[in-house]
Amino acid sequence: MLGASTLIAVGLIISALSLTEIVARDSQHVAQATPPTQSTPDAETKPPAPPAPSEPGTTGQRPSDIPPQPARPDPDAQKSGAQPALPPAPAEKTAPPIREKEK
């Protein structure tokens, strides 16, 4: 019991000392974690650099003339040899068929 009380008292003393040190410092110094960036000379007169493409020969734009492809090709395409883009779902994730309600 005495040890716990001592630890709490030491923690409160350290917290109080830390708070007084923070208050004693310049408030601008605490709020500014990094120094402000400085502009290079002649930055206003230079034209901006074009963005670098992520891959050679690309513009960074999504192609609009290619329609999206389904993950599973239709049965005719599968017969002609088209491979599905995704593997078949595991058996535990396949639900049983939905039954029609009886009237």
Side-chain angles (χ1 to χ4, degrees):
M1 184 75 169
L2 180 65
S5 302
T6 305
L7 287 176
I8 291 174
V10 169
L12 288 174
I13 290 170
I14 291 173
S15 297
L17 290 173
S18 298
L19 285 174
T20 54
E21 185 177 342
I22 290 172
V23 171
R25 288 187 186 178
D26 184 20
S27 62
Q28 180 68 22
H29 181 68
V30 174
Q32 187 77 33
T34 58
T37 58
Q38 295 180 356
S39 177
T40 58
D42 301 329
E44 294 83 22
T45 59
K46 292 182 182 178
S54 59
E55 294 179 8
T58 61
T59 60
Q61 299 290 328
R62 174 179 275 180
S64 59
D65 56 343
I66 302 172
Q69 300 295 322
R72 302 241 172 252
D74 57 357
D76 294 333
Q78 284 184 354
K79 288 177 187 174
S80 66
Q83 295 293 324
L86 300 173
E92 65 270 5
K93 293 187 178 180
T94 305
I98 298 174
R99 297 182 182 160
E100 295 287 329
K101 288 187 176 182
E102 296 175 5
K103 293 183 181 180

